[in-house]
Amino acid sequence: MGFAASMCMQHFLERLLKCYRFEQMQIPLGVIATDLCAGKPVTFRDSGDVILPIRASCSYPGLFQPVPHQGRLLVDGAVSLEIPALLARQLGATHVIAVHLPGQSEALPPRNMFQVVSRSFQILMENGESAWRAASDIVITPAVEAVEWDGFASGPELLRAGQAAGLEALPKIQSWLAEPRLAVPGPLLAPGSLPA
C-alpha cells in the first residue's frame, strides 16, 4: 500500500524526542492524521503515545504505507485538514500562525508518478483553505513554488525562503507581545469537534 513503511521514523523519533506521551509535553501538542477509509480527520491530543500519531500524520499516501491503528488505516493529516488551526485554538492558542507551502508552479509540469500525486493533492488542498485561514491570525507563505516535492537538496534554499517570510511577519507578531493577554479569538471548539 506504499513504497516504504514508516518504522524507520519511529526509531528516529525515539532518539529525537525527550517525551513520548502527550500528557508529558510542556507545550500542548495536537496531531492530525486522516482515516483513509472514512476520509475524515483523526485528532490525537491530551494523552497517549505521540510516536504513532506523528508517523501516521507523516504517511504521505502512495509513498508511505498507511499506519494501522484501532481498526483504521491512517495517512497524512493534510489529506483531510491541511493546517490544523482550529486544533491550535482548542489547545488554548490565543494567536495562530499558520505556515502555508504554496503549490508547485504551473510552469513545472509533472514528470513522474510522484509529482502527479503531489500536484493532485495540492489542487485538492487549495479548495479547503478558507476554514483554516479563517482560524489563523497570520499566514506565512514562503516562496518555495520552484522547489519540487522531492527537492531534498534544496534545504538551504528552503530555509532562506522560510526565514524571509517569517521576518516579513515579525512586526505583527511582535505587536502581540505588547498587548495585554487577550481572550481566545475565533471559534473555540470542544475536543473532537473538528469539522469534517
Side-chain angles (χ1 to χ4, degrees):
M1 290 194 287
F3 280 94
S6 59
M7 287 309 295
C8 288
M9 185 183 301
Q10 174 155 348
H11 303 310
F12 169 74
L13 291 169
E14 287 169 351
R15 288 192 314 269
L16 177 71
L17 299 176
K18 295 178 182 164
C19 301
Y20 302 108
R21 299 189 59 80
F22 283 97
E23 60 268 28
Q24 295 172 331
M25 298 292 164
Q26 289 183 346
I27 298 173
L29 172 67
V31 178
I32 301 281
T34 299
D35 182 329
L36 188 58
C37 296
K40 301 210 179 293
V42 177
T43 305
F44 295 91
R45 56 173 283 188
D46 301 328
S47 65
D49 170 62
V50 300
I51 292 179
L52 183 136
I54 293 171
R55 279 182 48 224
S57 186
C58 295
S59 292
Y60 192 83
L63 184 58
F64 290 104
Q65 297 169 8
V67 174
H69 178 66
Q70 296 181 347
R72 301 189 249 199
L73 292 175
L74 303 179
V75 296
D76 192 333
V79 171
S80 58
L81 190 65
E82 183 181 6
I83 296 178
L86 289 175
L87 177 57
R89 298 261 187 229
Q90 289 177 359
L91 292 169
T94 57
H95 297 82
V96 175
I97 302 169
V99 178
H100 176 244
L101 299 180
Q104 209 170 14
S105 168
E106 293 177 22
L108 298 171
R111 294 187 310 275
N112 59 51
M113 176 183 67
F114 293 113
Q115 290 178 357
V116 169
V117 171
S118 179
R119 182 62 185 138
S120 297
F121 278 124
Q122 289 169 354
I123 293 166
L124 282 170
M125 289 176 194
E126 286 169 7
N127 295 323
E129 284 187 22
S130 58
W132 64 258
R133 282 186 182 274
S136 302
D137 297 295
I138 291 179
V139 178
I140 298 175
T141 306
V144 295
E145 298 90 341
V147 179
E148 296 185 14
W149 75 275
D150 60 349
F152 301 115
S154 302
E157 178 186 347
L158 293 170
L159 287 171
R160 283 191 297 273
Q163 182 180 31
L167 288 172
E168 192 174 308
L170 197 56
K172 175 68 174 172
I173 296 167
Q174 287 174 326
S175 75
W176 294 340
L177 300 175
E179 295 174 4
R181 184 126 173 115
L182 302 174
V184 178
L188 183 60
L189 303 174
S193 62
L194 282 176

